[in-house]
């Protein structure tokens, strides 16, 4: 119902705003430590980047919500266009996968510290720098590929990578065409 949709949009924006505030406190605390000349360990640096990815994700997805969806889609408060939809989709994937991989990085850090008896210094020397380069590179690639194929499209009030198939049966053969932003016949699959 329209009432439930309105409640969902308001709750999403409140949750997004609170996430931005919480992650901003983490970023501020770690940056303040560096500014004051106090060193940071790999765990804190991982948390710094994880929190930055969370801020990006929260701005564009729960807080940005349907504002970035093209207004012709019929979603409540949709005032965006194709460019804002692509931006939301890019930062949705960039932020979500960045958070996911940095959660794995925290787990790896703790695993090596507790189970294998590593120190934070050993982790910093052997793992940390290549880990940051690999994660950020992979996340950028994952987010850029749908952008290059223009497959960030509105879906359920958000812009995410979607493939839309239009299928028909002609002369007892099924034919499916991939539709992306109104461009037909990018890929044709015939049975």
């Amino acid at each position: 119902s329209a009432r439930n949709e309105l409640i969902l949009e308001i709750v999403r924006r409140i949750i997004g705003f609170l996430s931005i505030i919480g992650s901003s406190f983490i970023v501020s605390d770690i940056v303040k430590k560096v500014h004051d000349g106090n060193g940071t360990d790999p765990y804190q640096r991982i948390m710094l980047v994880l929190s930055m990815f969370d801020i990006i994700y929260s701005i564009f997805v729960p807080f940005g919500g349907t504002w970035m969806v093209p207004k012709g889609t019929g979603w409540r408060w949709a005032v965006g266009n194709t460019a804002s939809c692509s931006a939301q989709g890019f930062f949705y994937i960039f932020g979500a996968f960045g958070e996911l991989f940095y959660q794995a990085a925290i787990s790896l850090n703790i695993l090596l510290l507790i189970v294998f008896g590593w120190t934070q210094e050993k982790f910093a020397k052997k793992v940390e720098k290549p880990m940051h380069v690999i994660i950020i590179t992979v996340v950028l690639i994952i987010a850029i590929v749908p952008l290059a194929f223009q497959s960030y499209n509105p879906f359920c009030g958000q812009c995410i990578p979607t493939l839309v198939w239009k299928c028909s049966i002609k002369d007892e053969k099924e034919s499916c065409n991939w539709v992306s932003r109104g461009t037909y016949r990018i890929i044709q699959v015939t049975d």
Side-chain angles (χ1 to χ4, degrees), residues 44-54 98 102 132 136:
Q44 292 170 327
R45 291 187 292 270
I46 293 169
M47 282 300 299
L48 172 69
V49 182
L50 171 64
S51 297
M52 291 166 70
F53 274 111
D54 182 60
Y102 273 97
H132 288 297
I136 292 171

Side-chain angles (χ1 to χ4, degrees), residues 16-41:
F17 179 73
L18 292 174
S19 182
I20 293 165
I21 296 299
S23 290
S24 295
F25 281 132
I26 293 170
V27 169
S28 173
D29 184 55
I30 296 170
V31 168
K32 184 180 177 193
K33 286 180 184 178
V34 171
H35 186 265
D36 291 344
N38 299 329
T40 58
D41 62 25

Side-chain angles (χ1 to χ4, degrees), residues 53 57 92-102 135 138-139 142-143:
F53 274 111
Y57 175 83
Y92 181 110
I93 296 301
F94 185 72
F97 276 92
E99 286 185 70
L100 177 71
F101 289 143
Y102 273 97
I135 290 174
V138 168
V139 169
I142 291 170

Side-chain angles (χ1 to χ4, degrees), residues 105-191:
I106 289 173
S107 297
L108 176 64
N109 179 258
I110 299 303
L111 173 77
L112 293 174
L113 290 173
I114 294 173
V115 176
F116 295 101
W118 282 33
T119 62
Q120 289 288 19
E121 293 77 24
K122 185 175 180 180
F123 183 86
K125 283 183 183 178
K126 294 191 177 222
V127 177
E128 187 179 12
K129 286 182 185 177
M131 176 195 69
H132 288 297
V133 170
I134 290 168
I135 290 174
I136 292 171
T137 302
V138 168
V139 169
L140 272 172
I141 291 169
I142 291 170
I144 288 172
V145 167
L147 192 61
F149 287 102
Q150 296 183 344
S151 63
Y152 287 123
N153 295 298
F155 181 77
C156 294
Q158 320 180 57
C159 295
I160 60 172
T162 58
L163 297 177
V164 180
W165 291 90
K166 285 203 169 211
C167 298
S168 61
I169 298 175
K170 290 183 181 176
D171 301 324
E172 298 181 17
K173 291 184 178 180
E174 184 178 354
S175 175
C176 294
N177 296 310
W178 175 31
V179 181
S180 175
R181 307 255 170 116
T183 306
Y184 289 86
R185 301 187 122 181
I186 295 172
I187 296 175
Q188 184 172 12
V189 180
T190 305
D191 182 22

